[in-house]
Amino acid sequence: MRLYTCTCGNRLFFDNTQCTSCGRQTGWCQTCKAVTAMEPEGDHLRCLGPLGSDGCGAQVVPCRNYAEEQVCNRTVPLGGDAYCDCCALNETVPDMSVEGNRARWARLEAAKRRLIYALERLGLPFGAETSPPLSFAFMGDPLDDGLWRKAGEAERVYTGHAEGLITINIREADPAEREQIRVDMNEAHRTLIGHFRHEVGHYYWDVLVRGQCEDQFKALFGDHENPTYGAALERHYAKGAPKGWEEHYISAYATMHPWEDWAETWALYLDIAAVLDTAEELGLIPMQQEPTSVDAMLRRYRTLGLVLNELNREMGLLDFAPAVITPAVAGKLEFIDLVVRRAAGQG
Ligand SMILES: [Zn+2]
Ligand SMILES: [Zn+2]
Ligand SMILES: [Zn+2]
Ligand SMILES: [Zn+2]
């Protein structure tokens, strides 16, 4: 993730809607591919571009979810679509009549924009030309007197992926709820961006592995057809992860079924790619000109993780990079790297 500059010289961040120094409205400009300052011009805005540029001068309007709901910070070309490239992927959005849902939705969209940024940077396909295209549903369990009710099995919303559609139960956007689930499930981290990275892993299994390199997949992750997903799920919740799983898997949940192992390892790959990208942009580690090997990626990530773990511990926070990446997990990451590069036309 890059940092951006306002036309006044102040630093702008990916989620900014206003410059804290000059007060100008800011937003993502599709033409600049950056967060820039915007100047009102009649009934629309004009992109001023970053400091030192002439600005792209694009005439834009805020995305409808920016203007009306304050859950987005992207703009669209004047006279074009109502929704930005990220919001256009939404199939279902939270019920705005429920108190607190606007804040939950805003957190979901912020995490989703980060995901989309990363997919574009890696050159991964997800748009209308991809089969199936990626889409999102943000839904809540039914409410009882304004409190989360223990919904019957049939009405409960499950976070998951099916045929291009990623569904997220919006209670995950509630920090207290999410932390409770994290502790109950004994997870090292539980975050919104983590959910997006995991679920999009299932999506890319369908798009990039199914019917294309399933044999290679099986050799590393195991046979996804035997046992069936249903049987594996039952066994996992009855017996838990096998002893010594840490040697071969990135998380206990990954032991459930080869598809979950893939999604967990895919999420780790996106974690590492995003952290290294941002660390490079902030000047914490040297810029890498050439695409690097997974081995080199992991070396850089470990060095950074060591420092960030200690800094987090100083502040009493959870470890930044809690997982030990064993050779078996690194082997799976190499396969994912291959699949990603092939999809991006670099492999
Ligand atoms: Zn400014
Ligand atoms: Zn622009
Ligand atoms: Zn939008
Ligand atoms: Zn999953």
Side-chain angles (χ1 to χ4, degrees):
M1 182 61 57
R2 281 174 52 201
L3 293 179
Y4 305 94
T5 46
C6 181
T7 185
C8 77
N10 190 34
R11 185 164 277 182
L12 296 176
F13 297 94
F14 189 61
D15 295 315
N16 281 165
T17 53
Q18 192 177 28
C19 173
T20 51
S21 178
C22 70
R24 282 189 179 88
Q25 184 173 1
T26 64
W28 177 267
C29 170
Q30 273 182 26
T31 310
C32 295
K33 295 256 173 254
V35 175
T36 61
M38 309 271 172
E39 196 122 270
E41 197 178 71
D43 61 349
H44 59 269
L45 300 167
R46 191 165 54 86
C47 171
L48 296 177
L51 178 72
S53 76
D54 293 333
C56 77
Q59 295 183 312
V60 298
V61 289
C63 162
R64 184 173 289 172
N65 284 343
Y66 182 176
E68 294 175 13
E69 307 288 354
Q70 294 88 48
V71 298
C72 177
N73 74 336
R74 298 205 160 194
T75 64
V76 289
L78 181 66
D81 298 328
Y83 292 105
C84 73
D85 49 350
C86 284
C87 292
L89 304 173
N90 290 343
E91 194 166 281
T92 310
V93 299
D95 177 357
M96 280 299 103
S97 67
V98 177
E99 201 189 317
N101 268 7
R102 184 179 309 282
R104 293 186 186 101
W105 187 17
R107 291 183 204 117
L108 284 159
E109 290 296 343
K112 195 183 84 188
R113 283 195 298 276
R114 246 164 227 275
L115 174 78
I116 298 302
Y117 179 94
L119 300 184
E120 284 181 342
R121 200 182 66 83
L122 291 170
L124 286 166
F126 61 86
E129 71 290 348
T130 316
S131 175
L134 184 61
S135 58
F136 297 88
F138 303 140
M139 292 154 71
D141 288 326
L143 291 184
D144 207 5
D145 297 331
L147 296 168
W148 298 113
R149 160 159 73 91
K150 292 227 180 307
E153 279 302 299
E155 4 174 30
R156 190 180 274 280
V157 173
Y158 285 100
T159 293
H161 164 265
E163 287 164 41
L165 179 68
I166 290 177
T167 301
I168 308 258
N169 186 320
I170 59 167
R171 72 191 301 168
E172 294 287 346
D174 207 309
E177 292 263 352
R178 195 174 59 246
E179 178 63 5
Q180 183 66 59
I181 303 171
R182 186 189 73 77
V183 172
D184 290 349
M185 309 274 279
N186 196 22
E187 295 170 334
H189 282 177
R190 191 177 183 93
T191 61
L192 286 182
I193 186 70
H195 280 305
F196 282 104
R197 288 179 182 147
H198 174 102
E199 298 307 337
V200 90
H202 289 305
Y203 171 70
Y204 282 116
W205 194 90
D206 280 1
V207 173
L208 305 174
V209 179
R210 186 190 292 278
Q212 296 167 62
C213 47
E214 284 188 44
D215 287 343
Q216 271 175 291
F217 168 81
K218 271 187 201 173
L220 281 164
F221 292 84
D223 187 351
H224 50 284
E225 287 161 326
N226 182 32
T228 63
Y229 189 85
L233 185 74
E234 231 167 83
R235 187 193 56 194
H236 182 75
Y237 284 112
K239 297 191 172 156
K243 219 171 154 27
W245 60 265
E246 293 91 342
E247 199 57 48
H248 298 280
Y249 299 91
I250 192 60
S251 70
Y253 188 64
T255 66
M256 199 260 267
H257 184 272
W259 282 338
E260 295 309 335
D261 189 12
W262 163 271
E264 287 286 272
T265 315
W266 175 279
L268 173 68
Y269 181 83
L270 292 190
D271 282 350
I272 295 173
V275 164
L276 293 182
D277 171 43
T278 301
E280 279 187 356
E281 293 290 345
L282 297 181
L284 290 177
I285 52 173
M287 281 275 179
Q288 214 81 51
Q289 299 308 331
E290 297 293 311
T292 53
S293 64
V294 165
D295 215 36
M297 260 174 86
L298 290 178
R299 266 201 311 275
R300 277 149 61 88
Y301 184 67
R302 273 193 202 103
T303 313
L304 207 55
L306 202 79
V307 174
L308 294 170
N309 279 350
E310 283 308 315
L311 290 177
N312 275 17
R313 286 168 197 168
E314 285 301 349
M315 295 303 288
L317 298 170
L318 294 171
D319 272 6
F320 175 87
V324 176
I325 298 167
T326 62
V329 172
K332 294 175 193 178
L333 285 170
E334 260 169 46
F335 177 59
I336 289 174
D337 186 58
L338 189 80
V339 169
V340 169
R341 286 181 200 282
R342 213 187 277 151
Q346 308 162 5

